Amino acid sequence: NAGVMQNPRHLVRRRGQEARLRCSPMKGHSHVYWYRQLPEEGLKFMVYLQKENIIDESGMPKERFSAEFPKEGPSILRIQQVVRGDSAAYFCASSPGRGAGGYTFGSGTRLTVV
Amino acid sequence: GENVGLHLPTLSVQEGDNSIINCAYSNSASDYFIWYKQESGKGPQFIIDIRSNMDKRQGQRVTVLLNKTVKHLSLQIAATQPGDSAVYFCAENISPGAGSYQLTFGKGTKLSVIP
């Protein structure tokens, strides 16, 4: 039973380009959460999704960021027109039900904007 | 806003000694707490959790203590090993309700084990 799979592990983008981060939840998990971690900081909640639904995107910047979790395939976090301040580690977690107790985190995608 | 914070950003201990990592929280509505271990280049790994109706919980070599009076959480690691070297985060959660799925993380404490 594979864990939460994120790819790519490392992503380098030039300012103004688009970044697409993918997350495949654990088998049997239908709840996905994205968190962002700045250097030497704790993780900060961005968005919570279930299949085909965004439940809570209160932690996501209003512009340039979007997330989806389609019926088929991985969850995608998309950042358009990246800026240097978007450089961070982005972690995805999944759980079998709603609630923080069942979280399993992936290994993250480290985005570097140059 | 209310948040979780840590007293000590770095902690160095001798191998075999016990480690204590502290965490202060300020949200009185939080009733579920988790300690995570994060090794370099990896995602947070669950260590132990505790609900607010308890004041102590033990795992393998780890103990979490919760003092709701002073809103303080600690993680004790017995017989610290080199493999324990990592950054440790406490995280809080409010359940039930709209916040039941969100974790609020502190900034972390880096534990370095000296062989």
Side-chain angles (χ1 to χ4, degrees):
Chain A
N1 185 12
V4 177
M5 305 301 293
Q6 290 189 250
N7 66 83
R9 290 296 307 276
H10 300 275
L11 183 61
V12 179
R13 283 287 177 266
R14 295 187 185 278
R15 280 177 293 173
Q17 290 185 319
E18 177 180 289
R20 291 172 69 89
L21 288 60
R22 288 177 290 278
C23 169
S24 295
M26 283 186 69
K27 187 177 181 180
H29 287 192
S30 59
H31 300 253
V32 167
Y33 317 82
W34 286 92
Y35 282 75
R36 178 165 63 176
Q37 185 178 32
L38 295 173
E40 298 189 359
E41 296 272 334
L43 281 70
K44 290 199 169 36
F45 171 81
M46 297 181 73
V47 61
Y48 163 37
L49 311 102
Q50 293 181 31
K51 284 286 188 181
E52 300 184 276
N53 285 302
I54 297 173
I55 307 302
D56 180 356
E57 56 183 349
S58 61
M60 204 146 68
K62 295 287 186 283
E63 298 178 354
R64 302 188 297 107
F65 285 71
S66 62
E68 62 177 9
F69 189 15
K71 186 177 180 181
E72 300 291 338
S75 175
I76 305 287
L77 179 67
R78 183 182 178 204
I79 310 172
Q80 295 178 290
Q81 298 174 327
V82 295
V83 300
R84 289 247 170 92
D86 297 332
S87 295
Y90 292 84
F91 291 95
C92 168
S94 70
S95 66
R98 176 184 174 122
Y103 269 33
T104 299
F105 279 94
S107 294
T109 293
R110 277 139 192 90
L111 172 66
T112 302
V113 180
V114 297
Chain B
E2 294 180 308
N3 55 62
V4 174
L6 292 169
H7 296 307
L8 298 172
T10 60
L11 178 65
S12 294
V13 298
Q14 287 290 141
E15 181 178 356
D17 287 351
N18 297 334
S19 303
I20 300 176
I21 301 172
N22 296 302
C23 176
Y25 67 95
S26 57
N27 192 336
S28 57
S30 295
D31 60 0
Y32 178 56
F33 305 88
I34 307 173
W35 279 100
Y36 286 96
K37 173 186 181 182
Q38 187 177 28
E39 296 174 279
S40 181
K42 296 184 179 180
Q45 177 187 357
F46 173 92
I47 300 174
I48 193 168
D49 59 0
I50 189 168
R51 295 204 174 271
S52 59
N53 60 351
M54 303 173 70
D55 53 19
K56 180 179 180 179
R57 190 161 189 230
Q58 288 185 291
Q60 187 176 18
R61 284 202 305 119
V62 294
T63 301
V64 55
L65 299 176
L66 175 62
N67 185 331
K68 293 181 288 295
T69 302
V70 296
K71 295 178 186 168
H72 184 268
L73 195 67
S74 69
L75 176 71
Q76 300 178 3
I77 305 174
T80 312
Q81 303 169 358
D84 295 327
S85 294
V87 177
Y88 290 81
F89 294 94
C90 66
E92 62 179 308
N93 176 245
I94 304 166
S95 65
S100 65
Y101 47 78
Q102 271 194 41
L103 286 173
T104 301
F105 283 79
K107 288 192 175 182
T109 292
K110 183 176 181 180
L111 176 64
S112 296
V113 181
I114 304 165

